[in-house]
C-alpha cells in the first residue's frame, strides 16, 4: 500500500508543478497573483536554515525579469524590540506582528518600470502619473512547518506608533524643474483603493504597515510630439464648434425677427379692423373730409321743470 501511495503523491506533485509552470508563461495581470508568484519563488530559493536578519537576494524566472526581490528572516521578539532595515524600508522598534509564530520572513519588492504598470492598470489613478517604481513589503510566517512544507501565510504588521519609512531616493529619478509638481505618496491598499499622502521629506513616505507604495504627480505632462500631432485636431474641432455656434446664433436672430414682424402685422390688422367697423359720418371741413359723430337725438330735460305728481 505504501508504494502505490508514493506513486500517486509523486504524480500529483508533478501535475501541480507543471500547472504552475504553465501559469508562469501566461501574462500576469493581477497584482495579487504577482505577489503569490514572488512568494513561492522566494521560499523555494531560500535554504531551509539561514542566518536570521541576513538579507538574501531572490532569483526570479525570465518571465518576471525586471523585478528585484530581497528577503530576510527575523524573530518576532527581536523585530519588535530593535526593528529592521530592508533596502528602502526602515522598520522602527515597537512594531506589532500578528499572528507571531516565532519567526517571520520579510519580502521586499522593487517592481521596476515595466511591472509597476500593473498597479497603474488595476488601481484608479486617473489624473496622476507614477514617477517611481512600485516598492512592496510583505511579511510571511517562517515557522518550521512553513519552511518544510512550503505553505507560508501572510501576517500583519502594525506600525502606528513608529511608522515604516519608505525611502525612494535611490530608485526615483524624478526632477521637477518648475517646482510645481511635488510628488505625493501613493499607498495601494488591498481593497483596490489608493491612499494619497504628502511626503515627510524629499522622496520619503511613511506607512503604518506592509503593502505597496509609489510616488505620483498630478496632471502628467503631455510630450511635445503628442501635442503637435493633436494640434490640428484641436484646431479643426475649434473651427467646427465656432461655425456651429454662429449658425445657431443666426437661427435665434431670425426667429426673433420673424416673431417681431408677426406681432407688428397683427397689431396693424387690429387697428384696420377697428377703423373699418366704426360707423362714423364723413363731412367736409374746409377742403378736408373728416369723420363726425351724429348729434344727440334725445333732448335734455332740465331738472327744475320737473314737478312731482300731485297727491290727493
Amino acid at each position: 500500500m505504501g508504494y502505490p501511495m508514493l506513486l500517486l503523491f509523486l504524480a500529483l506533485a508533478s501535475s501541480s508543478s507543471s500547472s504552475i509552470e504553465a501559469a508562469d508563461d501566461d501574462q500576469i495581470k493581477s497584482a495579487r497573483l504577482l505577489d503569490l508568484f514572488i512568494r513561492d519563488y522566494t521560499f523555494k530559493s531560500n535554504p531551509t536554515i539561514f542566518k536570521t536578519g541576513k538579507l538574501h537576494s531572490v532569483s526570479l524566472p525570465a518571465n518576471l525579469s525586471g523585478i528585484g526581490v530581497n528577503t530576510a528572516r527575523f524573530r518576532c521578539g527581536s523585530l519588535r524590540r530593535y526593528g529592521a532595515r530592508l533596502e528602502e524600508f526602515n522598520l522602527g522598534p515597537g512594531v506589532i506582528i500578528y499572528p507571531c509564530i516565532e519567526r517571520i520572513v520579510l519580502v521586499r519588492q522593487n517592481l521596476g518600470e515595466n511591472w509597476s504598470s500593473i498597479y497603474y492598470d488595476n488601481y484608479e489613478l486617473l489624473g496622476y502619473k507614477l514617477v517611481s517604481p512600485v516598492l512592496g513589503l510583505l511579511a510571511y510566517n517562517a515557522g518550521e512547518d512553513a519552511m518544510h512544507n512550503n505553505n507560508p501565510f501572510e501576517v500583519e504588521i502594525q506600525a502606528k506608533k513608529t511608522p515604516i519609512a519608505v525611502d525612494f531616493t535611490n530608485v526615483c529619478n524624478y526632477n521637477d524643474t518648475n517646482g510645481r509638481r511635488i510628488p505625493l505618496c501613493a499607498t495601494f491598499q488591498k481593497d483596490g483603493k489608493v491612499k494619497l499622502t504628502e511626503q515627510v521629506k524629499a522622496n520619503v513616505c511613511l506607512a503604518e504597515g506592509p503593502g505597496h507604495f509609489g510616488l505620483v504627480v498630478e496632471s502628467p505632462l503631455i510630450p511635445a510630439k503628442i501635442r503637435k500631432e493633436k494640434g490640428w485636431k484641436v484646431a479643426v474641432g475649434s473651427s467646427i464648434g465656432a461655425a456651429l455656434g454662429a449658425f445657431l446664433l443666426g437661427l435665434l436672430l431670425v426667429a426673433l425677427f420673424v416673431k417681431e414682424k408677426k406681432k407688428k402685422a397683427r397689431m396693424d390688422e387690429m387697428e384696420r379692423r377697428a377703423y373699418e367697423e366704426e360707423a362714423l359720418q364723413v363731412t367736409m371741413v374746409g377742403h378736408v373730409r373728416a369723420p363726425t359723430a351724429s348729434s344727440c337725438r334725445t333732448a335734455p330735460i332740465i331738472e327744475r321743470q320737473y314737478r312731482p305728481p300731485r297727491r290727493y
Side-chain angles (χ1 to χ4, degrees):
M1 292 296 291
Y3 184 71
M5 291 297 293
L6 178 61
L7 292 179
L8 179 61
F9 175 77
L10 292 176
L12 291 174
S14 62
S15 63
S16 176
S17 62
S18 62
S19 63
I20 292 176
E21 292 176 358
D24 289 348
D25 294 335
D26 296 336
Q27 185 178 5
I28 300 175
K29 297 181 179 180
S30 168
R32 179 58 181 167
L33 184 60
L34 179 61
D35 287 339
L36 293 177
F37 277 116
I38 293 176
R39 181 202 65 180
D40 293 342
Y41 279 104
T42 297
F43 276 81
K44 286 180 181 179
S45 64
N46 283 331
T48 305
I49 300 175
F50 57 90
K51 187 176 180 180
T52 301
K54 184 178 180 179
L55 194 64
H56 294 266
S57 179
V58 179
S59 298
L60 298 178
N63 63 328
L64 296 179
S65 61
I67 301 178
V69 177
N70 299 94
T71 181
R73 188 169 64 167
F74 298 91
R75 290 182 178 273
C76 296
S78 299
L79 184 61
R80 186 184 303 113
R81 286 191 297 269
Y82 306 111
R85 183 176 183 86
L86 274 79
E87 298 293 340
E88 299 85 7
F89 295 93
N90 187 11
L91 287 76
V95 296
I96 300 175
I97 306 163
Y98 65 97
C100 181
I101 307 177
E102 189 179 358
R103 290 182 176 88
I104 65 169
V105 169
L106 295 181
V107 179
R108 168 261 181 191
Q109 305 173 0
N110 183 348
L111 301 185
E113 296 182 0
N114 295 332
W115 288 95
S116 296
S117 61
I118 198 171
Y119 280 86
Y120 190 86
D121 297 335
N122 286 271
Y123 286 79
E124 185 62 36
L125 277 174
L126 185 63
Y128 293 90
K129 178 183 178 181
L130 277 170
V131 294
S132 74
V134 173
L135 302 178
L137 178 67
L138 298 177
Y140 301 94
N141 71 309
E144 294 297 331
D145 181 68
M147 301 302 293
H148 286 287
N149 300 328
N150 194 23
N151 60 345
F153 58 85
E154 190 172 349
V155 298
E156 293 293 333
I157 297 179
Q158 288 187 356
K160 295 182 178 181
K161 184 178 181 180
T162 305
I164 302 172
V166 188
D167 191 351
F168 292 89
T169 303
N170 297 328
V171 296
C172 180
N173 297 322
Y174 175 73
N175 185 16
D176 185 14
T177 57
N178 297 328
R180 298 178 181 177
R181 292 181 174 86
I182 300 176
L184 297 174
C185 302
T187 302
F188 301 93
Q189 301 176 345
K190 293 182 179 180
D191 57 0
K193 298 180 180 180
V194 181
K195 181 181 179 181
L196 299 178
T197 56
E198 296 182 356
Q199 303 177 69
V200 292
K201 61 180 181 179
N203 297 328
V204 177
C205 302
L206 295 181
E208 295 181 353
H212 293 84
F213 314 92
L215 294 179
V216 297
V217 293
E218 296 184 23
S219 303
L221 294 174
I222 301 175
K225 183 178 179 181
I226 298 178
R227 287 201 300 266
K228 290 180 180 179
E229 291 178 355
K230 293 185 177 181
W232 66 272
K233 296 182 180 179
V234 174
V236 172
S238 300
S239 301
I240 294 175
L244 182 60
F247 176 72
L248 295 176
L249 181 61
L251 290 179
L252 179 61
L253 293 176
V254 170
L256 292 176
F257 176 76
V258 172
K259 181 179 179 181
E260 192 66 25
K261 188 175 181 181
K262 289 183 177 180
K263 182 178 179 181
K264 186 176 183 304
R266 187 166 57 251
M267 293 297 295
D268 293 342
E269 180 67 17
M270 292 174 62
E271 291 178 359
R272 185 184 64 81
R273 289 184 179 180
Y275 178 78
E276 291 180 352
E277 293 176 359
E278 185 72 22
L280 296 176
Q281 297 179 359
V282 179
T283 183
M284 294 297 295
V285 180
H287 299 284
V288 179
R289 294 172 58 88
T292 56
S294 59
S295 58
C296 183
R297 296 181 180 181
T298 304
I301 300 176
I302 301 176
E303 294 182 358
R304 64 186 181 181
Q305 295 179 356
Y306 175 76
R307 294 180 180 181
R310 184 178 296 177
R311 294 181 181 181
Y312 296 96

